[in-house]
Amino acid sequence: MRVFLFLFLLFPIIELALLIKVGSAIGVLPTLMLVIGTAVLGSVLLRVAGVATAWRAREKLSRGELPEQEMLEGLLIAVGGGLLLLPGFISDIFGVLCLLPFTRRLLVGKIRRRAEEQALRQRAFFDDQAARTGKTNPNVLEGEYERRD
């Protein structure tokens, strides 16, 4: 958690330093135009990619399937669009990586593998606790019943 906090505080400083460097290299007006252009591009890409993902999710739902891939892609599209709307070049790079279909599918695959590994670890820990206590399900009472009206 400390690393995340450190990066959260360090990120704006790095973005600002890069904006100053680019502004001194190409000028203030072209730098502002780049920042505004990436924000506009981000909003357009967010709309196009979001609509396409929503249609794919709707098609899966109509076939009776769960759209887990589309849900994760939609999350990454929202994150990528938000990063493109932020002023700065580093956030723009990460935003484009989230919006490009090839890299988005790679990121979704990594997220899914990590979630599956986490679920396996939690399940193994729970099974280990149940084995140690000797109780598998303490709220279950075995018996027979008969309904009479």
Side-chain angles (χ1 to χ4, degrees), residues 103-121:
T103 55
R104 185 174 62 229
R105 287 191 185 100
L106 286 175
L107 288 171
V108 166
K110 284 188 177 208
I111 290 170
R112 288 178 84 175
R113 279 193 301 274
R114 186 160 180 150
E116 288 170 1
E117 290 171 0
Q118 181 70 21
L120 285 175
R121 274 193 297 257

Side-chain angles (χ1 to χ4, degrees), residues 4 14 29 38 48 56 64 66 73 82 94 102 106-107 114 120 138 141 143:
F4 179 72
I14 294 172
L29 189 60
T38 57
V48 169
R56 285 196 315 269
L66 285 177
E73 283 188 19
F94 287 121
F102 176 73
L106 286 175
L107 288 171
R114 186 160 180 150
L120 285 175
L141 298 174

Side-chain angles (χ1 to χ4, degrees), residues 57-127:
R58 189 176 200 153
E59 287 174 6
K60 273 196 164 182
L61 281 173
S62 68
R63 287 184 296 206
E65 301 173 4
L66 285 177
E68 67 269 353
Q69 177 81 16
E70 285 74 16
M71 289 171 54
L72 288 174
E73 283 188 19
L75 177 67
L76 279 178
I77 287 170
V79 168
L83 286 173
L84 276 174
L85 291 174
L86 287 175
F89 296 115
I90 298 171
S91 62
D92 290 345
I93 291 170
F94 287 121
V96 167
L97 288 176
C98 288
L99 288 176
L100 292 175
F102 176 73
T103 55
R104 185 174 62 229
R105 287 191 185 100
L106 286 175
L107 288 171
V108 166
K110 284 188 177 208
I111 290 170
R112 288 178 84 175
R113 279 193 301 274
R114 186 160 180 150
E116 288 170 1
E117 290 171 0
Q118 181 70 21
L120 285 175
R121 274 193 297 257
Q122 287 178 351
R123 191 174 307 132
F125 178 74
F126 178 75
D127 290 345

Side-chain angles (χ1 to χ4, degrees), residues 4-57:
F4 179 72
L5 180 65
F6 179 70
L7 290 175
F8 185 72
L9 295 175
L10 188 65
F11 184 73
I13 295 169
I14 294 172
E15 283 277 15
L16 187 59
L18 186 63
L19 277 172
I20 292 170
K21 275 284 207 208
V22 170
S24 66
I26 66 172
V28 174
L29 189 60
T31 303
L32 284 175
M33 295 307 285
L34 275 173
V35 169
I36 292 170
T38 57
V40 170
L41 178 70
S43 65
V44 169
L45 284 175
L46 178 63
R47 181 172 295 199
V48 169
V51 168
T53 303
W55 277 108
R56 285 196 315 269

Side-chain angles (χ1 to χ4, degrees), residues 127-146:
D127 290 345
D128 188 41
Q129 288 284 56
R132 263 192 259 153
T133 59
K135 298 178 182 177
T136 56
N137 205 351
N139 294 330
V140 175
L141 298 174
E142 292 188 24
E144 294 180 12
Y145 77 96
E146 181 179 316

